[in-house]
Amino acid sequence: MIDLLQRLLPRSLRQPTPVPDALWQSTLTAHPFLSRLDCTEQDRLRLLCTHFLMEKEFHGANDLELTDAMALAIAAQACLPLLHMHGTSGEAVRDPLKLLDWYGDFVGIVVQPGAVVARRKTTDGAGVVHHYDEVLAGEAMDRGPLMLSWEEVAHASVAAESGSNVVIHEFVHKMDMRGISLGEHPDGAPPLPKGFMAMQHAFNAFREAVAMAERFGAERPWLDDYAAKDPAEFFAVTCEAYFVNRERFAYEFPALVPLYDGFFRPAASPQ
Ligand SMILES: [Zn+2]
């Protein structure tokens, strides 16, 4: 109730419940890509997390009992991409809390104990309707809630070695969905800086590599094949790696580094 009233105030006047020191420290320790951040970054991340936790409503589904530690783990990974960003209109922000506007189109975060099987339906060119199941570790709905499988989130530390992170994946989709019309599919090109053709090239090369692995037994490319699905998934999957395993990301996708730096760290990168 208090949170509800507080949400009516401008962010600068809200007084979110502070994140206890011990809980904060254990969250950093549990995630190598967070403990690596410098002190200024960690302080900024903590500030974003306290407000994020006040603004969002977490729901544990299927009897999942959500703890503060679980909510904080999600908040910290969700806010990581925001740390050095500009505002949603591309403007430099003085108040870091403005960065939460990137996630301003929704409130609910549903946490499932494990992966969810979704029934899907597509109609092919001949007008035949196909039903299939899709196993989801997370899902972001445009202007709607976001779903995460706790089983997946809990493995963030190990998953980072292979460049994966389900929380970052879904929240990057949220960024990508900004500016699209209702019902449209995100295109993997949020308001990114110029030179985005490099991304198209990287996407084509990745698709090619997946096809070579599938059909001709070539070595599988680093990162989930799912990235070959479409530009939006390629963007989300490569962003996971950019944030949790930057060294390997830079080795695998050198052309994407300046591009993503330009979007996620605009002040630090040459314009
Ligand atoms: Zn996705």
Side-chain angles (χ1 to χ4, degrees):
M1 188 60 194
I2 294 171
D3 276 7
L4 214 61
L5 292 174
Q6 291 246 12
R7 271 188 229 144
L8 299 172
L9 298 169
R11 285 200 185 96
S12 54
L13 299 179
R14 294 178 196 165
Q15 293 183 313
T17 319
V19 172
D21 286 340
L23 185 59
W24 180 244
Q25 285 309 325
S26 61
T27 305
L28 295 178
T29 313
H31 302 90
F33 50 90
L34 298 181
S35 51
R36 252 199 330 250
L37 299 171
D38 68 32
C39 294
T40 320
E41 290 173 314
Q42 289 181 355
D43 287 348
R44 181 179 266 231
L45 186 65
R46 188 170 174 173
L47 175 74
L48 289 170
C49 283
T50 55
H51 282 262
F52 181 95
L53 289 168
M54 165 180 271
E55 289 180 24
K56 303 301 179 212
E57 280 168 15
F58 285 78
H59 308 274
N62 292 307
D63 297 328
L64 179 71
E65 202 71 59
L66 272 176
T67 63
D68 288 352
M70 290 158 88
L72 182 60
I74 292 169
Q77 294 173 78
C79 292
L80 174 65
L82 300 178
L83 278 184
H84 299 284
M85 285 183 77
H86 276 175
T88 52
S89 316
E91 77 289 5
V93 291
R94 235 187 247 157
D95 177 6
L97 295 179
K98 278 288 285 169
L99 296 169
L100 290 169
D101 287 350
W102 279 102
Y103 303 145
D105 74 325
F106 74 106
V107 170
I109 298 173
V110 178
V111 188
Q112 296 277 358
V116 170
V117 178
R119 288 292 284 151
R120 301 281 201 223
K121 193 172 92 171
T122 53
T123 310
D124 67 21
V128 181
V129 177
H130 299 268
H131 293 269
Y132 63 100
D133 291 333
E134 195 177 3
V135 180
L136 303 171
E139 192 172 27
M141 187 185 275
D142 184 25
R143 275 154 265 213
L146 190 142
M147 184 279 283
L148 293 164
S149 148
W150 178 252
E151 198 178 26
E152 202 74 26
V153 178
H155 283 122
S157 166
V158 178
E161 287 164 31
S162 48
S164 321
N165 187 287
V166 66
V167 179
I168 291 171
H169 183 106
E170 300 309 333
F171 278 84
V172 160
H173 274 321
K174 276 289 185 189
M175 291 178 180
D176 196 11
M177 283 168 181
R178 291 192 67 87
I180 62 169
S181 308
L182 200 59
E184 241 177 27
H185 191 68
D187 54 6
L192 284 161
K194 283 188 197 132
F196 217 59
M197 278 312 287
M199 170 136 158
Q200 188 64 44
H201 288 303
F203 173 61
N204 292 343
F206 186 82
R207 279 192 124 166
E208 189 79 8
V210 169
M212 287 301 285
E214 276 170 356
R215 293 177 216 147
F216 303 101
E219 205 185 322
R220 300 202 84 80
W222 190 57
L223 297 188
D224 196 337
D225 288 4
Y226 192 59
K229 183 171 175 257
D230 57 39
E233 294 306 340
F234 183 71
F235 179 60
V237 172
T238 48
C239 282
E240 298 173 47
Y242 172 80
F243 283 107
V244 302
N245 196 333
R246 191 182 162 98
E247 300 73 30
R248 180 81 189 263
F249 172 82
Y251 174 77
E252 300 280 344
F253 303 97
L256 295 184
V257 175
L259 216 55
Y260 289 9
D261 280 348
F263 182 58
F264 292 109
R265 317 177 63 97
S269 57
Q271 294 297 307

